[in-house]
Amino acid sequence: MAERIAEEKINEIRQAVEIVDVIGDYVQLKKHGRNYFGLCPFHGENTPSFSVSPDKQIYHCFGCGAGGNVFSFLMEVDGLSFQEAALKLAERTNIELEIEAASPLKRKAYPENYRQMVDAHELLRKFYHHLLVNTDEGQPALEYLLKRGFSKESIDKFQIGYALPSWEFVTGFLQKKGYSAEHMEKAGLIIKRDRDGTFFDRFRDRVMFPILDHQGNTIAFSGRALGDDEPKYLNSPETPIFNKSKILYNFSKARSSIRKHQHAILFEGFADVIAADRSGVENGVATMGTSLTGEHVSILKKNVQNITICYDSDNAGIEAAYRAAVLLNDAGCTVKVAMMPSGMDPDDYIRKYGEEKFRNEVIGSSSTFMSFKIQYFRRGKNLQNEGDRLQYIEEVLKEISRLDKAVEKDLYLRQLADEFSLSLDALKQQANQSQDNGKGQPARQPQPEPEKKQFVFTRQAGLKPAYHEAERRLIAHMIRNSEIAYKVQELLQGKTFNIDEHQAIITYLLGFYEKGYEPDPSRFLNYLEDNKLKRVVADIEMMSLNDELADQELTDYIKQVLNYQKLLKIKDKQAEQKEAERQSDYLRAAAIAMEIIQLRKSL
């Protein structure tokens, strides 16, 4: 994108957008004092160290050092250029820019060879969808979907398509578009024959469901057979752009709804997500034919606290729901489980009972994790049998003993007492014993919830030297007040800051003011071109400062900066003095000693 966006437009966008709202689409933020905190989207962590300042319109991570303004956030999180980030923000704020994006704004910054894989998938997504909805060849597949309850709106929203029953159509189509067969084989779109080295299409005569990454790029497909062909679902293999343990189906579309409702629904497969979306549940996501992984949990945790699991009601689905619930609970999420009637999946339920019942009687009536565990431990047990009954009661008591809230414990203990006509006092006593003995690491022990930890940030570098901290504080005041900036320049008397990055920042800052700009941290970050300097500025801007800089405080900071240079000079002189003494040049050594005395007096 060669076109340059006018400075006035950049400023208009910057003033119109609210950084907390933009970052809130990617990170679950909680207010703490004047700032907002959450889990950093740029590195894995369990304790929030990512801070957003609405006053200064900047963000900074105290863990990995990432920092900047709303433009740099989108550039880093979505892999956009500055112009693409500006276009995305302009669209969000309804500001018209007289330039067009040269490439999709959603595109992640893939390396060139991987980007060709994404481009090929995007091309086929559009082609497959066109075949389904606009051609005679796709009509049987379209009728099949409509009979199964898919609406035309869902087909368009999820860009469902159809692959022709041809062995080599896509292979030839992609080669004509300039994509090499070898590269498309690595992308998982075509397959190489062992016998002669020729290529053929992976997907043939199937309904095609595109799989998108979390920025909205098409990176894989799942094809459903129209007849009795096996497998019923044929998925893309794992490729350099598709790793199913890191992808949640529909996340790019569902993220805004998840953020809006502060609630995500986790399904087992994409057919359930599409069916639920049709019923008005737009905050649904699903794993891609794999169990929930730690990476999936991390993605969800950064965006939402409340998660409802809605898996199939067969044995495999219940076991998978239990494993997923344990993982999410251990990560500190608030977990509920939507119980499906026996033998049904969400798609079956919606087609049989309707959308409203699904919303209200399945999702809306989901059980707490503890209630689900109580049902889970009943499975396979004959509670009329004394041994099974005692085993069940013991398992449930262990789970109750791990609950944090006294009221919650009391509720479930009373339920257990009523169901089996047991003494509430006896149950409480055994639950307390389980809690004490439970320090023997019982299975599936929940970990302490990260949200309950206080926000305590420790800088990796530890305490900084006095001159270093003085320079940071001077820069912070200079960014907020141009008069202080010029006063600091005058007091330095031609000397420079001791840290190269700090000196570069104030050089840029003085240039910023010379161009007539008013003090504005977010705008100054746009002015800076070096990403490393942007991070340093964002870190400095997160410091707590007095609103006014007293003359004595300013003098002390300047003295710390200048004194460090004198201390370095003293150190050099001391080395010279030792060298003179080693050479028996005592007159020179005495003269250097006098210089050192004078330097120390000036400190």
Side-chain angles (χ1 to χ4, degrees):
M1 190 184 301
E3 296 179 83
R4 187 176 180 83
I5 303 173
E7 176 67 27
E8 310 86 72
K9 284 290 184 182
I10 296 293
N11 194 39
E12 186 181 351
I13 294 168
R14 188 178 52 77
Q15 291 178 339
V17 78
E18 173 52 61
I19 192 169
V20 172
D21 293 339
V22 174
I23 294 180
D25 287 342
Y26 297 81
V27 179
Q28 183 186 2
L29 297 173
K30 293 182 178 179
K31 193 169 186 183
H32 185 77
R34 298 177 69 173
N35 293 344
Y36 290 78
F37 294 89
L39 297 176
C40 180
F42 305 119
H43 80 288
E45 61 177 12
N46 291 320
T47 303
S49 63
F50 182 82
S51 175
V52 183
S53 168
D55 296 338
K56 301 165 187 172
Q57 291 292 296
I58 63 172
Y59 68 92
H60 177 70
C61 176
F62 294 91
C64 69
N69 60 9
V70 69
F71 293 93
S72 52
F73 178 82
L74 289 181
M75 290 166 69
E76 193 161 356
V77 79
D78 281 342
L80 305 179
S81 68
F82 180 83
Q83 285 91 340
E84 286 171 332
L87 279 164
K88 189 169 185 176
L89 291 169
E91 183 179 352
R92 184 187 183 103
T93 53
N94 296 317
I95 294 173
E96 288 191 16
L97 298 180
E98 296 177 357
I99 67 170
E100 295 182 359
S103 60
L105 292 181
K106 64 187 179 183
R107 177 170 298 166
K108 184 180 176 181
Y110 287 102
E112 179 60 33
N113 57 333
Y114 294 171
R115 196 159 60 241
Q116 289 181 18
M117 294 182 180
V118 176
D119 289 343
H121 277 84
E122 290 280 351
L123 179 64
L124 284 181
R125 173 184 59 78
K126 294 173 185 175
F127 178 67
Y128 287 146
H129 183 64
H130 169 74
L131 284 174
L132 177 70
V133 300
N134 296 319
T135 69
D136 292 338
E137 291 89 340
Q139 190 62 29
L142 181 60
E143 290 175 1
Y144 165 82
L145 287 170
L146 295 174
K147 283 178 184 176
R148 284 191 57 85
F150 285 79
S151 66
K152 289 186 177 179
E153 291 77 11
S154 286
I155 290 169
D156 285 339
K157 180 174 181 177
F158 291 93
Q159 286 288 285
I160 302 169
Y162 171 66
L164 293 168
S166 165
W167 284 84
E168 296 174 351
F169 184 88
V170 165
T171 302
F173 176 72
L174 290 173
Q175 286 179 314
K176 285 179 184 177
K177 293 292 183 179
Y179 298 101
S180 76
E182 290 76 11
H183 205 51
M184 292 304 98
E185 182 199 13
K186 291 178 182 176
L189 295 171
I190 61 177
I191 300 172
K192 189 174 185 177
R193 292 185 177 95
D194 291 332
R195 68 173 186 269
D196 58 6
T198 58
F199 297 89
F200 63 94
D201 299 356
R202 178 178 296 275
F203 300 103
R204 302 176 304 280
D205 194 26
R206 287 178 178 267
V207 173
M208 300 297 288
F209 296 88
I211 299 166
L212 313 183
D213 68 13
H214 297 165
Q215 285 72 39
N217 303 293
T218 309
I219 55 170
F221 290 100
S222 182
R224 193 200 191 284
L226 286 171
D228 297 326
D229 290 353
E230 291 294 336
K232 182 179 177 182
Y233 283 99
L234 177 64
N235 297 326
S236 293
E238 295 219 340
T239 68
I241 61 172
F242 174 51
N243 183 335
K244 60 187 178 183
S245 69
K246 297 180 180 179
I247 292 295
L248 287 167
Y249 180 78
N250 195 46
F251 185 80
S252 62
K253 286 187 175 69
R255 178 159 48 194
S256 61
S257 179
I258 288 171
R259 302 296 305 136
K260 178 181 177 182
H261 298 289
Q262 279 298 292
H263 185 202
I265 315 294
L266 180 63
F267 295 98
E268 259 187 301
F270 58 81
D272 296 334
V273 170
I274 296 171
D277 183 87
R278 192 168 70 244
S279 73
V281 178
E282 297 182 332
N283 52 336
V285 296
T287 52
M288 290 305 309
T290 182
S291 298
L292 191 73
T293 67
E295 288 160 314
H296 292 142
V297 172
S298 178
I299 292 161
L300 288 167
K301 181 71 187 303
K302 286 175 181 175
N303 287 274
V304 70
Q305 177 71 27
N306 302 301
I307 299 170
T308 296
I309 299 169
C310 185
Y311 282 7
D312 295 355
S313 57
D314 57 14
N315 281 335
I318 292 171
E319 289 291 346
Y322 183 81
R323 291 193 301 270
V326 169
L327 272 176
L328 290 164
N329 183 71
D330 287 356
C333 296
T334 301
V335 183
K336 287 189 173 184
V337 181
M339 306 294 287
M340 299 292 302
S342 179
M344 301 190 81
D345 62 26
D347 190 22
D348 295 332
Y349 186 95
I350 291 167
R351 282 192 284 132
K352 183 171 182 178
Y353 297 110
E355 299 168 0
E356 187 176 351
K357 270 205 166 189
F358 177 74
R359 288 196 308 271
N360 297 332
E361 296 186 16
V362 176
I363 301 300
S365 301
S366 52
S367 304
T368 64
F369 184 30
M370 186 63 216
S371 292
F372 172 70
K373 282 192 281 191
I374 289 173
Q375 296 301 315
Y376 177 81
F377 289 125
R378 295 178 83 101
R379 294 167 65 249
K381 291 186 176 69
N382 176 9
L383 296 184
Q384 301 305 312
N385 176 281
E386 185 178 350
D388 281 5
R389 188 163 65 249
L390 286 172
Q391 183 186 355
Y392 167 73
I393 292 170
E394 188 173 338
E395 286 175 337
V396 172
L397 279 173
K398 282 182 181 178
E399 296 298 329
I400 292 174
S401 71
R402 295 171 192 157
L403 296 172
D404 292 328
K405 297 175 182 175
V407 172
E408 203 175 359
K409 279 184 180 179
D410 188 70
L411 172 68
Y412 292 115
L413 285 170
R414 287 179 187 277
Q415 285 182 7
L416 202 59
D418 291 345
E419 182 177 4
F420 295 104
S421 300
L422 296 170
S423 161
L424 180 60
D425 290 337
L427 288 177
K428 284 181 177 179
Q429 184 179 353
Q430 187 164 336
N432 290 333
Q433 287 174 354
S434 293
Q435 185 173 15
D436 295 336
N437 298 335
K439 294 167 186 176
Q441 303 302 321
R444 300 181 291 269
Q445 173 113 9
Q447 300 299 315
E449 296 185 5
E451 280 69 25
K452 293 182 180 177
K453 296 179 182 177
Q454 292 182 335
F455 294 100
V456 179
F457 304 118
T458 57
R459 299 191 184 279
Q460 293 176 339
L463 291 173
K464 294 177 171 64
Y467 73 89
H468 192 290
E469 193 64 21
E471 290 182 1
R472 285 166 52 84
R473 290 186 174 276
L474 285 171
I475 290 171
H477 283 291
M478 292 168 77
I479 290 172
R480 300 180 190 188
N481 189 316
S482 57
E483 290 183 10
I484 290 176
Y486 289 118
K487 192 169 184 179
V488 168
Q489 183 188 31
E490 180 184 337
L491 292 171
L492 286 173
Q493 299 174 353
K495 302 289 193 306
T496 62
F497 276 2
N498 300 288
I499 307 297
D500 290 342
E501 288 89 350
H502 293 173
Q503 182 58 38
I505 288 166
I506 66 168
T507 301
Y508 277 114
L509 182 61
L510 291 168
F512 178 77
Y513 288 142
E514 288 296 332
K515 287 192 173 183
Y517 295 125
E518 293 297 318
D520 187 325
S522 181
R523 190 168 192 173
F524 178 55
L525 284 168
N526 277 349
Y527 182 81
L528 286 172
E529 295 181 359
D530 186 282
N531 287 330
K532 185 177 180 181
L533 296 184
K534 286 183 179 183
R535 288 184 167 210
V536 175
V537 169
D539 185 23
I540 288 172
E541 273 298 297
M542 288 296 178
M543 295 172 68
S544 297
L545 292 178
N546 297 326
D547 291 335
E548 299 292 331
L549 178 62
D551 289 342
Q552 184 59 52
E553 187 180 357
L554 174 59
T555 302
D556 289 343
Y557 291 152
I558 294 292
K559 187 175 181 181
Q560 291 290 351
V561 173
L562 297 179
N563 277 356
Y564 181 68
Q565 296 176 10
K566 292 176 183 176
L567 289 170
L568 290 178
K569 195 169 183 181
I570 289 171
K571 192 174 181 180
D572 290 340
K573 289 292 180 184
Q574 286 172 333
E576 287 181 32
Q577 183 184 14
K578 284 183 180 179
E579 179 62 22
E581 289 172 348
R582 191 183 66 80
Q583 294 178 1
S584 301
D585 189 349
Y586 299 112
L587 283 175
R588 182 165 173 266
I592 294 172
M594 291 301 296
E595 289 181 49
I596 292 172
I597 291 169
Q598 292 303 315
L599 283 169
R600 282 179 172 158
K601 282 182 179 179
S602 68
L603 291 176

